Amino acid sequence: MPKLICQHTLKLNCSFPWLICVLVNLLALNTHAQTIPPVPKQVSLSADLSVKELTISWFGGAASTFDLIILRTEFNTSVFYDTISATINQASGRHEWKWTSAEPLECTSLSVRIRSRDGLATSEWSKINTFRGRDLPSINTLQMYPQDRVVEVGSNMTFCCIVEEGKTFKEMLYGNTIMNVTRLSRRSYATTLVNVEPTGVSGSNIVCRLKDLSLTGAVMFVGYPPLPSDFVCETQDLKSAECHWKEARDSHLTGERRRTRYSVNSRNCNVDSQLTCRLPLWDGNWTLMAENSLGHYSLSDSAELIHRVRPVAPVNLSSIANAWNATVIWQWTYESYFTLDLNCQVESTNHESKTLHVFSGVGLRSVKLSGLHPDQAYTVRVRCGDQKYFWKWGDWSQTFSFKTQTDVPDPPDVWMWMNKDRTGLVVWKPLDYQQSHGRVTGFEVTLWNPEDVEQHTQILPPNTYSVQVNLTEMASLGVNKKVFATVVVKNIKGASPPSRVPLRFIDEQPLVLSKPVFTNNGFFLFWQQNATNTCNYLVEWLDTSCEHDCPVKWIRVAAGSTNVSIESENFKPGVRYNFSLYSCPSDSPQLIKRWQGYTQELVPSRSVPLSVKSQDSKVVITWGEIPLSDRRGFVLGYNVYISNGSELALLANLSSSEMRRYVVKGLSVGNYKFTVKSYTSAGEDTGSTASITLEPFTDALILEMLGALGTITILLIIVTFICYKKRNWVKKAFYPDIPEPKLPGDWSRLQGPLDVRPSPHSMVHIVEKPERDFNKETLVVIPEEEEYFEKDEPVDTDEPMSLRYYNQVVDDRPIRPRFPGSSASSASSLDSGHTDVTYTGIQTSGSSLVFQPDPQGSSEEQPPEVVRYDGGYKPQMHPKVLSDDVVLKSSNPFQESEAASSVGYKPQCSWHLDSPTDTAETGSLAPSLGSPTSVASTQFLLPDGDGDEKNKQQPSSAAATWFSNLLLSSKP
Amino acid sequence: MADRRTRSMKSSNLSRTAVNRASMIALQLQGESSKLLELYRQKESFPADVTDGRLVSVPPPSSQLDTRDKLWRLHSALLQTQSLLERAITKEEEELGGGIKGEYENQRKTVKGRLSFLLLTTGNLLKAVDGAASLTPSLEGLELDGPTTLFQLKLWLLQVFSEVHHWSRAAVTTLQELLTNAADKQSSTTRVRSTRSARR
């Protein structure tokens, strides 16, 4: 507060300044009195708890601006502090201001203070004014606020819980959710729900629990304001109005106090589940008002009465029924309907089949229903609408039932089955309720011939649908005469028109049996249109396996049709059905087409009858057909298996049902099991198995052996013949002539050995095998001259000059180079079947021997020594001087000495024909038979000298040259 | 005391079959009321440990009570329970009902019907024991003073359903006892008869 201080000094001498000072002081006092607004007085608080609104009123003088502070009394925390502009209530003269609390006002006490403000100048604060909450110590109960509150979806809501003195708060729950809590005072706790969602039937609970498990709570309903739609008013009695509407959404506000209340033109409407309101008079304009705790909504409608007529339901229905039609009569509740142009629907129901008939007329009260069937019960109901200004169909009347009168039956549907022996069945279908026209009392079947007068009639009871006929017993009907059967149905009203069928055995069998297509809708049959045929068709079907008095089924097809679908509940899977299409079934049935098919093919139920037999070395498997009833499908073929232990190995797949034989070849002796399985499109049957044991076939064996021997004999004869014819060539090739030496003198008397000189192409070096017998002479191969290598002559040649002698004794092993005295050489010699002579290199070129000199003993290292061939073999045809440089040097001095001392070989000029038997005499030489000594040489190298040596050599050579001798002996 | 005895009890033998039948009905009611309680707790998200007080008042159980008194006590309690249940259903429909017929509403209807049937059966047993005794239900003390808020109403409904369950269990126990006593009595009677015939 501004204060002006002035010293009041009264001096006469200074009157002017004093005067100024007084004036300033007065001015200051005056200013001070104007800037300090008055303190608000008589502050009072009033609350509207339902809306959490606190109204504060006070006397504030002329001030219009106030500072307001609201505190939670107990904790002295501020919840509001602001400068407000309050208006003066003209009636009371008090300033008034409303404050809305976030929390319910019951939660805790609030203290209010106000001061006036005038610009920057403010008055003193008013005295504290307290609005008492429910958490006062005097109210010591467990409480929850607010209670039973209804709020709109999406609102925020704060609840508080005031616990009892001395009790401890535990938690607050919304449903099963524990909420965050704010403490408002010592005993008060609050929680806020944000953006609340619609609640269920009985609202949502907010529960406050204490530590001692005691609890309190509040129920909250969250929903929507009303939203009606489709509000219309109409009339039924042509006088009053009945208004209807719908609710576009659920308000979610349940309970009598919260439900939406409706009024039309300010008249309350008691609605339950039907949102309808009745008004006694037709106002022409209507306003619907819907209201609930969260708001209200209104809708309007207006219309003329004649445009909104929804007729009432006809009453007191009755009928006048005939056999084929009936008149239905009804009455109207209101006489005003007699002049109303009406459009009416009559719904008739017969055997769950409904038919709607429509009629129109002024004040319509009766209609005639046609198209009914005799002896049938009908149920009818009627409803009408305004014909001129149709608004809505009226309500359906109560149903009314009546029964039509009886009439004579329709003619029956008759067909026949004839056996080959002129017996058969006349069959007809049961008449349904639309055909019998009353209870059937019996049937009358007549057999007759158009040419004769005589008829055979049988009376049959009801529920008979076939009769057996035997045309052979009816003499008058004759064998070749045309016979008809006529069937008449009788009921209480009379007899039906007759139905006839010609009795004739139709034995035609079409060439081709088609397979019909079966779908869920049945067998689909189609055929070509025959332009000449003007009759109806009849499709007959039966189990194919049936042959006598078969229970046929049939269906009639209109002329000109080309397809039909056959449906029957009696079709069974695995059963083959015959479908036959006949034309003109009532006069002269002609078979047009026939089908065979299955609804579903199955695997055969029986296996084939199987037999197996052996035929020579083959096995012939044959089997028979499966009976038709057991096939259960079209047999597509057979699988032939052979049992391989526990498994079956497929031998053959015969993809034709006609092939029922299979031959298995190439089986050896033993026991075999064969299985044959037929198969349909559904798969294989279990199969039939038969076994057979194959015995050894001795005759064939002998024949085979004889055949083989004969073949060998013929071959030998051919070879012998060829050899004989080509003996010259053979001789040249294998046994060239050795020219006889031409001696100048008489050599015949000489007893000594011939001085045979070795061929210049071959050098034979007789060696001794020291391991065995050092006294024995051995032939040692001498390497050929280099010139022969250079000549590169062919290895094999037919010319005797180049005939090569080689050792064949050592099996097939490659010829190894041998050197006199080398252990390898010796070993090889040992292998040669005790042959002491190694003929390698005799008259051969060096290339044929693959013979390499020992490097150690090569001519490069040691000077070649001249070997003297004193006793060597010298073919006389090609005398040639051995050059020095082709002499093989022997490293074995012993052999050398032996060679030197050798007297050489002499040709066996006068040898005798040997036979292998001769070798037996010298057992020690037997192993030499077939030894390499049998090389195809007719020249035998006989050691010169004693008889022992001859004996040793001769047997081997004799054995080897036995065939050569044979050739020689045949030399011309 | 909620019921008045209009005629003094007199001894009479109970049919074992009738008691057994009543026991079976009580057993059924026990299961059905248990399910109703469970459905209600689920519907209202009430914690399982909500404390509940007794609404039905009958004399305390005592071993001194004979068959007639036991039956009378049980019947009286069931009568009060039925009255409470009917009022609870009406009140709930009025204050909270939305016209919806769900599982809870169907179970409530089943329990109401079963309780009526059990009452009829126990009434017949009581008649068999006590002649033409009739019990007139008195609703004194059962007036709904407290539930001024919807939450209190809901708690009261919970209490009513708990009472139904409690007294259905009590009915099972009482009727089983009666059944046992009847069996014991029959065997002792047979024994006495056989002893007498042996003496003769």
Side-chain angles (χ1 to χ4, degrees):
Chain A
M1 185 182 290
K3 289 185 179 178
L4 292 175
I5 301 167
C6 190
Q7 290 177 345
H8 303 278
T9 51
L10 295 174
K11 285 183 178 179
L12 294 174
N13 293 334
C14 55
S15 60
F16 181 73
W18 180 83
L19 183 65
I20 290 172
C21 185
V22 168
L23 286 173
V24 168
N25 262 333
L26 286 172
L27 185 64
L29 284 171
N30 189 37
T31 304
H32 178 70
Q34 286 178 351
T35 54
I36 297 173
V39 177
K41 293 175 183 173
Q42 297 181 27
V43 176
S44 74
L45 303 173
S46 63
D48 184 348
L49 297 175
S50 62
V51 293
K52 302 180 287 186
E53 193 177 79
L54 188 66
T55 303
I56 308 155
S57 64
W58 66 94
F59 285 107
S64 61
T65 306
F66 301 90
D67 289 341
L68 177 70
I69 186 165
I70 303 173
L71 304 162
R72 289 191 187 120
T73 308
E74 202 169 305
F75 284 175
N76 203 27
T77 52
S78 166
V79 289
F80 183 84
Y81 177 46
D82 206 351
T83 302
I84 59 166
S85 295
T87 56
I88 297 174
N89 188 320
Q90 296 301 325
S92 60
R94 295 170 67 91
H95 285 87
E96 201 172 272
W97 194 77
K98 294 177 187 296
W99 174 71
T100 303
S101 171
E103 296 91 27
L105 297 174
E106 299 94 330
C107 293
T108 187
S109 299
L110 297 170
S111 298
V112 178
R113 295 182 80 185
I114 310 168
R115 69 182 177 188
S116 303
R117 175 177 286 276
D118 183 8
L120 293 175
T122 56
S123 70
E124 294 288 336
W125 285 104
S126 65
K127 289 179 183 175
I128 292 174
N129 229 295
T130 300
F131 177 80
R132 293 187 174 188
R134 303 283 294 174
D135 59 344
L136 294 174
S138 57
I139 310 169
N140 190 17
T141 53
L142 181 60
Q143 304 159 67
M144 185 91 176
Y145 297 99
Q147 287 289 336
D148 308 342
R149 189 54 53 91
V150 179
V151 294
E152 196 166 347
V153 174
S155 308
N156 298 337
M157 196 68 192
T158 301
F159 289 86
C160 67
C161 173
I162 302 168
V163 302
E164 294 158 279
E165 286 286 354
K167 299 282 181 70
T168 309
F169 172 83
K170 184 186 178 189
E171 64 194 0
M172 288 178 82
L173 299 164
Y174 181 59
N176 292 317
T177 309
I178 298 173
M179 305 299 296
N180 292 326
V181 172
T182 306
R183 194 169 187 179
L184 303 178
S185 69
R186 193 171 50 84
R187 289 171 51 203
S188 183
Y189 299 83
T191 186
T192 302
L193 306 174
V194 180
N195 194 18
V196 289
E197 294 184 349
T199 50
V201 176
S202 58
S204 295
N205 302 328
I206 301 93
V207 178
C208 175
R209 301 194 76 195
L210 307 187
K211 293 275 187 186
D212 65 354
L213 297 182
S214 60
L215 60 82
T216 186
V219 178
M220 173 180 67
F221 287 86
V222 183
Y224 297 99
L227 186 64
S229 65
D230 302 336
F231 175 62
V232 289
C233 295
E234 59 194 15
T235 183
Q236 286 197 300
D237 57 3
L238 307 179
K239 193 163 63 179
S240 66
E242 187 179 294
C243 300
H244 310 272
W245 64 92
K246 293 177 184 172
E247 267 295 348
R249 70 180 173 203
D250 182 7
S251 70
H252 292 274
L253 305 182
T254 56
E256 189 61 32
R257 278 184 282 179
R258 284 167 295 278
R259 68 177 178 82
T260 304
R261 300 177 188 283
Y262 299 95
S263 63
V264 176
N265 290 354
S266 303
R267 287 192 180 90
N268 287 332
C269 305
N270 291 321
V271 298
D272 40 24
S273 57
Q274 296 286 327
L275 298 175
T276 304
C277 196
R278 295 180 187 281
L279 301 170
L281 292 174
W282 186 264
D283 294 330
N285 294 302
W286 305 271
T287 300
L288 168 73
M289 177 65 75
E291 191 172 8
N292 68 13
S293 309
L294 296 175
H296 57 82
Y297 196 93
S298 64
L299 282 174
S300 295
D301 183 36
S302 61
E304 288 184 35
L305 185 145
I306 195 68
H307 293 166
R308 294 286 177 87
V309 177
R310 186 168 69 88
V312 290
V315 294
N316 301 332
L317 266 67
S318 61
S319 72
I320 302 168
N322 302 312
W324 298 93
N325 57 55
T327 301
V328 179
I329 305 160
W330 65 87
Q331 291 178 357
W332 290 113
T333 312
Y334 306 107
E335 288 186 2
S336 53
Y337 276 53
F338 296 160
T339 56
L340 198 64
D341 197 0
L342 292 169
N343 201 17
C344 295
Q345 287 182 332
V346 181
E347 184 190 79
S348 64
T349 307
N350 171 235
H351 289 274
E352 297 180 355
S353 166
K354 289 184 177 178
T355 311
L356 201 64
H357 311 261
V358 181
F359 305 90
S360 58
V362 177
L364 205 60
R365 280 178 288 173
S366 70
V367 293
K368 187 173 185 179
L369 302 180
S370 56
L372 306 183
H373 291 278
D375 196 44
Q376 292 298 304
Y378 290 89
T379 301
V380 293
R381 60 177 186 166
V382 185
R383 70 175 180 180
C384 298
D386 191 297
Q387 192 183 11
K388 194 173 180 183
Y389 302 103
F390 183 81
W391 164 242
K392 284 178 184 175
W393 284 111
D395 297 329
W396 282 108
S397 69
Q398 296 285 328
T399 56
F400 172 74
S401 297
F402 62 89
K403 190 175 183 180
T404 52
Q405 296 181 358
T406 56
D407 199 0
V408 293
D410 284 345
D413 188 356
V414 185
W415 187 233
M416 54 84 198
W417 170 263
M418 291 303 291
N419 302 313
K420 292 176 182 176
D421 56 359
R422 283 178 64 79
T423 62
L425 293 173
V426 175
V427 288
W428 58 92
K429 290 181 182 175
L431 274 67
D432 62 21
Y433 67 93
Q434 289 186 333
Q435 296 168 325
S436 60
H437 304 160
R439 191 174 62 82
V440 174
T441 55
F443 297 93
E444 190 178 284
V445 180
T446 306
L447 304 185
W448 54 283
N449 185 318
E451 299 164 10
D452 296 332
V453 180
E454 186 182 353
Q455 293 184 345
H456 297 261
T457 301
Q458 274 185 281
I459 304 296
L460 300 165
N463 301 325
T464 308
Y465 304 110
S466 68
V467 63
Q468 284 192 322
V469 293
N470 189 348
L471 302 185
T472 57
E473 293 175 358
M474 300 177 187
S476 66
L477 297 177
V479 177
N480 297 318
K481 287 181 180 176
K482 209 171 183 179
V483 180
F484 286 91
T486 298
V487 181
V488 166
V489 190
K490 290 182 174 178
N491 68 7
I492 53 170
K493 195 76 176 178
S496 71
S499 289
R500 75 172 189 178
V501 63
L503 301 180
R504 188 165 71 84
F505 174 67
I506 303 168
D507 58 350
E508 303 163 33
Q509 190 65 257
L511 290 173
V512 181
L513 281 171
S514 302
K515 285 184 182 177
V517 179
F518 181 78
T519 63
N520 290 335
N521 297 325
F523 285 101
F524 185 73
L525 311 177
F526 60 94
W527 57 90
Q528 297 294 324
Q529 168 68 15
N530 187 353
T532 58
N533 181 46
T534 55
C535 303
N536 290 345
Y537 292 106
L538 182 142
V539 178
E540 163 202 278
W541 68 90
L542 71 157
D543 185 344
T544 306
S545 60
C546 179
E547 291 181 346
H548 193 269
D549 283 352
C550 298
V552 289
K553 306 288 179 189
W554 70 96
I555 186 172
R556 292 182 189 273
V557 184
S561 300
T562 56
N563 63 73
V564 69
S565 183
I566 308 294
E567 299 171 35
S568 173
E569 293 177 354
N570 298 322
F571 284 140
K572 294 172 186 171
V575 176
R576 187 184 292 188
Y577 293 98
N578 253 5
F579 297 89
S580 304
L581 174 72
Y582 298 101
S583 63
C584 305
S586 300
D587 299 316
S588 55
Q590 296 292 322
L591 180 67
I592 305 292
K593 193 171 180 180
R594 184 161 284 168
W595 296 263
Q596 281 191 345
Y598 294 85
T599 57
Q600 183 191 352
E601 290 193 47
L602 304 175
V603 295
S605 61
R606 184 186 288 187
S607 304
V608 294
L610 183 65
S611 69
V612 179
K613 63 181 178 182
S614 65
Q615 202 174 71
D616 300 337
S617 62
K618 300 175 290 186
V619 172
V620 180
I621 308 165
T622 55
W623 57 92
E625 272 192 319
I626 302 172
L628 185 61
S629 57
D630 296 323
R631 285 180 212 166
R632 307 204 300 172
F634 293 108
V635 175
L636 301 175
Y638 302 94
N639 285 333
V640 183
Y641 296 92
I642 187 166
S643 177
N644 184 12
S646 60
E647 294 179 352
L648 292 177
L650 182 67
L651 275 180
N653 168 246
L654 309 177
S655 58
S656 168
S657 60
E658 303 302 321
M659 294 175 66
R660 292 195 294 276
R661 184 174 183 271
Y662 185 72
V663 179
V664 187
K665 297 174 185 173
L667 292 175
S668 54
V669 174
N671 188 32
Y672 295 96
K673 278 185 179 176
F674 296 98
T675 300
V676 176
K677 295 181 177 182
S678 63
Y679 60 90
T680 66
S681 64
E684 291 181 329
D685 66 18
T686 52
S688 297
T689 302
S691 60
I692 190 168
T693 304
L694 287 183
E695 301 292 344
F697 185 61
T698 50
D699 293 346
L701 214 61
I702 291 164
L703 281 175
E704 280 179 8
M705 288 172 66
L706 286 175
L709 284 173
T711 309
I712 291 167
T713 307
I714 289 165
L715 273 173
L716 282 173
I717 289 168
I718 290 167
V719 168
T720 308
F721 179 74
I722 290 168
C723 289
Y724 177 73
K725 282 290 182 186
K726 297 286 181 181
R727 61 185 175 279
N728 287 335
W729 178 83
V730 171
K731 183 174 181 301
K732 277 184 186 177
F734 298 106
Y735 199 67
D737 286 340
I738 301 170
E740 291 180 358
K742 291 176 182 177
L743 299 173
D746 185 8
W747 283 75
S748 58
R749 285 174 295 181
L750 286 175
Q751 296 299 316
L754 292 174
D755 184 13
V756 180
R757 299 189 69 84
S759 166
H761 296 281
S762 302
M763 284 154 282
V764 177
H765 193 182
I766 300 171
V767 295
E768 284 291 324
K769 294 185 75 175
E771 305 93 318
R772 295 186 59 197
D773 187 359
F774 292 100
N775 296 324
K776 210 181 278 182
E777 292 175 358
T778 315
L779 288 178
V780 175
V781 177
I782 307 299
E784 294 172 40
E785 300 92 337
E786 287 181 4
E787 63 185 77
Y788 284 95
F789 282 100
E790 288 167 8
K791 284 178 185 173
D792 195 23
E793 285 182 0
V795 173
D796 293 326
T797 174
D798 291 338
E799 293 178 12
M801 291 291 286
S802 57
L803 267 178
R804 290 152 194 163
Y805 296 84
Y806 51 90
N807 190 352
Q808 290 180 333
V809 174
V810 193
D811 302 330
D812 294 329
R813 287 176 291 183
I815 299 166
R816 288 173 290 186
R818 296 183 181 97
F819 270 87
S822 72
S823 60
S825 163
S826 303
S828 298
S829 298
L830 278 172
D831 289 342
S832 60
H834 303 293
T835 303
D836 296 330
V837 180
T838 304
Y839 290 93
T840 52
I842 297 176
Q843 281 191 345
T844 60
S845 62
S847 63
S848 68
L849 290 172
V850 199
F851 193 54
Q852 297 296 328
D854 189 348
Q856 292 180 350
S858 70
S859 57
E860 293 173 2
E861 294 179 358
Q862 294 181 6
E865 292 179 13
V866 178
V867 179
R868 292 184 301 168
Y869 295 96
D870 293 338
Y873 171 70
K874 295 176 183 174
Q876 290 149 349
M877 292 289 286
H878 305 282
K880 193 177 180 182
V881 180
L882 188 66
S883 60
D884 291 343
D885 57 347
V886 299
V887 175
L888 182 63
K889 181 182 177 299
S890 173
S891 60
N892 194 336
F894 176 75
Q895 286 176 340
E896 279 180 11
S897 63
E898 284 292 310
S901 62
S902 171
V903 292
Y905 289 91
K906 51 185 176 182
Q908 193 177 9
C909 300
S910 55
W911 58 284
H912 301 286
L913 183 67
D914 293 332
S915 73
T917 53
D918 293 340
T919 58
E921 292 174 346
T922 312
S924 63
L925 297 176
S928 298
L929 267 173
S931 73
T933 55
S934 63
V935 289
S937 173
T938 56
Q939 299 169 14
F940 292 91
L941 305 180
L942 302 174
D944 205 354
D946 55 19
D948 287 345
E949 290 298 317
K950 278 183 182 176
N951 289 339
K952 286 177 184 175
Q953 187 68 25
Q954 202 168 359
S956 62
S957 60
T961 57
W962 186 82
F963 184 64
S964 300
N965 291 343
L966 175 64
L967 295 173
L968 280 173
S969 64
S970 60
K971 184 180 177 183
Chain B
M1 193 68 61
D3 302 293
R4 292 193 311 273
R5 277 194 293 180
T6 55
R7 185 174 172 171
S8 61
M9 290 181 284
K10 60 179 184 183
S11 294
S12 176
N13 284 329
L14 278 175
S15 160
R16 275 201 71 191
T17 312
V19 177
N20 193 37
R21 188 158 167 261
S23 173
M24 290 296 109
I25 297 165
L27 209 57
Q28 268 185 306
L29 179 64
Q30 185 183 333
E32 287 162 353
S33 60
S34 171
K35 190 180 177 187
L36 175 65
L37 207 52
E38 183 59 32
L39 285 172
Y40 186 70
R41 282 187 198 276
Q42 281 179 10
K43 176 173 165 277
E44 298 297 342
S45 303
F46 279 146
D49 54 1
V50 173
T51 52
D52 53 347
R54 294 267 74 89
L55 297 173
V56 172
S57 60
V58 286
S62 166
S63 57
Q64 302 299 319
L65 294 176
D66 62 6
T67 301
R68 285 168 300 178
D69 290 338
K70 281 179 182 172
L71 261 179
W72 181 85
R73 179 176 176 273
L74 173 66
H75 189 72
S76 170
L78 289 175
L79 269 174
Q80 293 178 65
T81 307
Q82 187 194 35
S83 172
L84 281 170
L85 182 63
E86 284 176 352
R87 287 176 52 213
I89 292 170
T90 307
K91 194 77 178 171
E92 188 179 18
E93 281 297 313
E94 187 182 305
E95 295 291 334
L96 302 164
I100 296 171
K101 298 294 175 194
E103 188 185 6
Y104 161 73
E105 285 78 9
N106 290 333
Q107 189 67 23
R108 200 176 58 182
K109 187 180 173 185
T110 305
V111 168
K112 183 184 169 188
R114 190 79 60 202
L115 180 58
S116 301
F117 193 33
L118 180 62
L119 257 175
L120 193 70
T121 314
T122 51
N124 289 337
L125 290 178
L126 201 56
K127 279 179 190 171
V129 172
D130 203 14
S134 66
L135 286 165
T136 308
S138 167
L139 300 179
E140 285 175 22
L142 294 177
E143 290 299 333
L144 194 60
D145 300 328
T148 52
T149 67
L150 288 175
F151 191 78
Q152 284 175 329
L153 173 66
K154 286 184 176 183
L155 282 181
W156 179 73
L157 288 169
L158 182 68
Q159 277 184 301
V160 171
F161 296 149
S162 298
E163 283 289 45
V164 175
H165 184 55
H166 172 79
W167 284 107
S168 65
R169 277 190 304 179
V172 171
T173 310
T174 306
L175 292 166
Q176 288 292 340
E177 278 176 20
L178 294 180
L179 212 56
T180 312
N181 292 343
D184 292 346
K185 208 170 189 178
Q186 194 172 0
S187 62
S188 64
T189 309
T190 312
R191 231 180 290 124
V192 169
R193 280 179 185 165
S194 60
T195 310
R196 284 178 184 169
S197 58
R199 282 178 186 169
R200 285 173 190 171

